[in-house]
Amino acid sequence: MRFPGFAVVAFLLSASTPAAAQTTTRTFLLKAGADTIAVEVVRRSPGRLEGDLVFRAANQRWHYVATIGGDEMVSALVNEFRPATDAVTAAPKQSARLVFTGDSVWVTFSGPTPPPQRLAVAPGAMPYINPSFAMVEQALRRARQMGRGDKTIPLFGVSAGQTFPGEVRWIGADSAEFSIAGTPSRLAVATDGSIRGGWVPSQGLSIMVVEGSADAALRVEPPDYSAPADAPYTAESVRISTPSGHVLAGTLTIPKGTRGAVPAIVTITGSGPQERDEAILPVKGYRPFREIADALGRNGIAVLRMDDRGNGESGGNGSSATSLDFADDIRAGLAFLRGRREIDGARLGLVGHSEGGIIAPLVAATDSMLRGIVLMAGPAYTGRRIIEFQNRYAIERTANVPASARDSLVRVALRAVDSSAKAQPWLRYFLDYDPTVTAATVRTPVLILQGATDQQVTPDQAPILESAFKAGGNRDVTTQVFPATNHLFLADPEGNPAGYSALTPTTLQPEVMRILVEWLRRRLLP
């Protein structure tokens, strides 16, 4: 998982003791403070690794069985995918068998599908399901078996179908640093490569290890997207077909008691797999798009909020999509609204947060009918510049990293990002995309909202973005910067993402909501 923003997040993974000859069962809890983000029940025996993984932040449930050779390589992986809110006994949304041979992985999907597909991988690739504790542990066991010295273990992302590097740096005999896409985790490691504990310093994540099976922790209650009892609007579950062939799931809130068709906006989530409310489990109670839908619904404006493709209840493959593809999904949402008799298709707008602040202008550049777009922490810099800042910020605030080593670590992190970009379409597009070029083509009215302590999309980007819109001839551009407000638009004097889980309250700043609602009312209501 990533916070809405663009930092590439590695998840800290751990186990308790080296695998014994008999079957051992352990449960791993990935936690942010007191909140559990992911749960994995793991059963390890000679030549076999079986796991049930629930990634609550992305509403994903995985069951897998890996076949392991004497060299600690995984030769085959059978996996099933379900939404986390489905029962473990429910039919899987997708199941597949992966066979690893040299520089290839052969993938066979269940059901009436084409013959096995061959995907090219780096030799020695190991499967990885984000954020599987046991699979990272298996990569470390493989690295230990390969001998002394630092190692690069290619990881094959099962959901993405792509290879990216896992960098292993041994620190003494009993600890290691494991980096995914440039973000390090600090791990305590046993002699056979089993992980005994650790943390992700930049994200404040920790691991609890429970001996035996904690199956109860695998149960996840479905999110509640219904309207509050006192709401002057209805909340309807909707399904939206896209030109790409997948179906998006969402919630449409419509004000009650209005005469004629009402205006509407579509919300656009930040980067990483997001559900329709843009909830972040480490930040308890944070559901910004639900807040916005409620506020606008009480002011006569309908709101459509959707699960990202491949996430929550939505179909499609989010792992292979770029910001351009997500923009097409938002266009499908707008087309859906224009087909509803309760909605005035001539009075539509967009509210995008973080990456959503990239996507909204991409859509507005091709849709002249939009009445307004709101960019909440929308970037003006290329992704490469943003990621470099985020990595440097995290490294400078990591304990026990001397100042003399920081520049070197930043360079290592950026090399890992470039390597990952070769296999990840979203990252490859994001690194070089310049938002100011698109901004100069947009004539739709724009509201730019920015937190003054944002350390993910920094506040100096807001005036640059405003200038880019105005340079293209847009005469209706407003910028508002909020003091002591972070990337999530929460009250925060520092804005350090590692401190998000400790913040209270976790509702959007009242002044942010006031300005957003008033600006949209002026442009959407008669």
Side-chain angles (χ1 to χ4, degrees):
M1 155 191 167
R2 282 173 285 179
F3 292 119
F6 302 99
V8 181
V9 178
F11 284 87
L12 176 67
L13 309 173
S14 82
S16 56
T17 59
Q22 72 277 11
T23 299
T24 60
T25 303
R26 294 170 294 172
T27 298
F28 307 109
L29 306 176
L30 178 64
K31 301 180 75 68
D35 295 316
T36 301
I37 296 171
V39 180
E40 186 174 23
V41 176
V42 179
R43 294 163 290 280
R44 183 183 287 276
S45 57
R48 178 184 171 92
L49 181 67
E50 181 177 4
D52 288 285
L53 168 66
V54 168
F55 186 14
R56 296 183 177 187
N59 192 25
Q60 296 177 356
R61 180 188 297 274
W62 297 84
H63 175 76
Y64 64 85
V65 177
T67 302
I68 302 170
D71 58 358
E72 300 289 359
M73 288 293 297
V74 174
S75 59
L77 180 79
V78 177
N79 69 84
E80 298 176 343
F81 169 76
R82 300 170 176 84
T85 48
D86 280 7
V88 70
T89 55
K93 298 293 185 183
Q94 181 175 289
S95 58
R97 176 178 173 82
L98 288 68
V99 176
F100 293 82
T101 57
D103 62 354
S104 303
V105 57
W106 295 87
V107 183
T108 305
F109 294 99
S110 63
T113 58
Q117 303 176 26
R118 176 191 176 275
L119 299 176
V121 296
M126 308 276 285
Y128 177 65
I129 298 173
N130 184 33
S132 169
F133 313 155
M135 289 184 179
V136 166
E137 179 182 87
Q138 191 60 39
L140 282 173
R141 291 166 68 98
R142 168 60 180 165
R144 179 74 82 184
Q145 194 272 343
M146 292 168 65
R148 299 175 61 86
D150 299 345
K151 298 290 186 293
T152 297
I153 305 295
L155 300 177
F156 177 78
V158 172
S159 61
Q162 297 157 347
T163 307
F164 49 91
E167 305 287 345
V168 181
R169 185 169 69 91
W170 297 108
I171 307 171
D174 60 356
S175 62
E177 184 177 88
F178 191 92
S179 297
I180 298 177
T183 300
S185 301
R186 301 295 179 87
L187 309 169
V189 186
T191 54
D192 68 347
S194 296
I195 306 168
R196 297 183 296 184
W199 66 100
V200 182
S202 63
Q203 298 297 328
L205 301 176
S206 62
I207 293 296
M208 286 184 59
V209 182
V210 179
E211 294 298 328
S213 175
D215 289 331
L218 293 170
R219 291 196 291 270
V220 178
E221 294 297 323
D224 180 11
Y225 298 121
S226 63
D230 66 340
Y233 57 84
T234 60
E236 175 187 349
S237 295
V238 296
R239 295 293 184 270
I240 300 158
S241 297
T242 70
S244 299
H246 58 273
V247 176
L248 299 170
T251 298
L252 175 62
T253 52
I254 303 177
K256 298 177 182 177
T258 58
R259 293 184 178 181
V262 299
I265 67 107
V266 179
T267 57
I268 313 174
T269 63
S271 63
Q274 302 283 341
E275 53 83 60
R276 66 196 73 175
D277 282 347
E278 206 184 47
I280 302 174
L281 282 181
V283 188
K284 192 171 184 178
Y286 182 74
R287 300 175 72 180
F289 286 170
R290 182 178 177 86
E291 280 192 68
I292 290 172
D294 181 78
L296 293 178
R298 296 175 187 275
N299 280 272
I301 299 172
V303 177
L304 173 63
R305 55 197 205 270
M306 301 180 290
D307 296 337
D308 290 353
R309 69 163 74 179
N311 187 59
E313 298 177 29
S314 289
N317 185 354
S319 301
S320 61
T322 69
S323 299
L324 285 174
D325 300 311
F326 294 126
D328 286 339
D329 289 347
I330 299 305
R331 293 185 182 99
L334 290 168
F336 170 82
L337 290 176
R338 287 174 173 139
R340 296 279 302 223
R341 60 179 178 80
E342 309 98 319
I343 305 298
D344 184 348
R347 292 188 290 157
L348 301 181
L350 304 173
V351 174
H353 179 210
S354 199
E355 186 194 2
I358 285 178
I359 295 168
L362 286 170
V363 176
T366 63
D367 190 338
S368 60
M369 291 181 62
L370 291 175
R371 287 287 190 91
I373 60 175
V374 179
L375 312 185
M376 303 178 70
Y381 297 152
T382 64
R384 186 177 303 280
R385 182 169 177 177
I386 290 171
I387 288 176
E388 179 176 2
F389 169 82
Q390 291 180 346
N391 276 282
R392 184 176 295 279
Y393 181 88
I395 288 169
E396 288 177 348
R397 283 154 185 79
T398 300
N400 303 321
V401 175
S404 59
R406 291 172 182 169
D407 288 343
S408 176
L409 287 175
V410 170
R411 288 193 294 271
V412 170
L414 293 179
R415 285 198 298 269
V417 169
D418 284 333
S419 179
S420 297
K422 296 176 182 178
Q424 297 181 30
W426 180 89
L427 183 57
R428 186 165 59 248
Y429 179 86
F430 172 65
L431 285 177
D432 295 324
Y433 176 74
D434 183 352
T436 63
V437 174
T438 300
T441 69
V442 173
R443 303 295 181 269
T444 305
V446 181
L447 173 63
I448 299 170
L449 303 179
Q450 178 66 49
T453 58
D454 190 341
Q455 303 301 332
Q456 291 183 257
V457 177
T458 49
D460 56 303
Q461 297 178 60
I464 296 173
L465 198 57
E466 177 183 1
S467 296
F469 282 111
K470 290 181 176 179
N474 194 327
R475 297 182 179 180
D476 190 349
V477 184
T478 304
T479 298
Q480 182 70 49
V481 179
F482 302 92
T485 301
N486 67 16
H487 186 69
L488 306 184
F489 289 88
L490 302 179
D492 184 357
E494 294 186 7
N496 187 346
Y500 285 171
S501 62
L503 294 176
T504 56
T506 56
T507 53
L508 298 177
Q509 288 271 56
E511 188 67 4
V512 173
M513 291 296 295
R514 184 186 68 79
I515 290 176
L516 182 150
V517 170
E518 289 182 358
W519 190 88
L520 285 172
R521 279 178 55 88
R522 290 196 298 271
R523 282 153 183 83
L524 297 182
L525 294 177

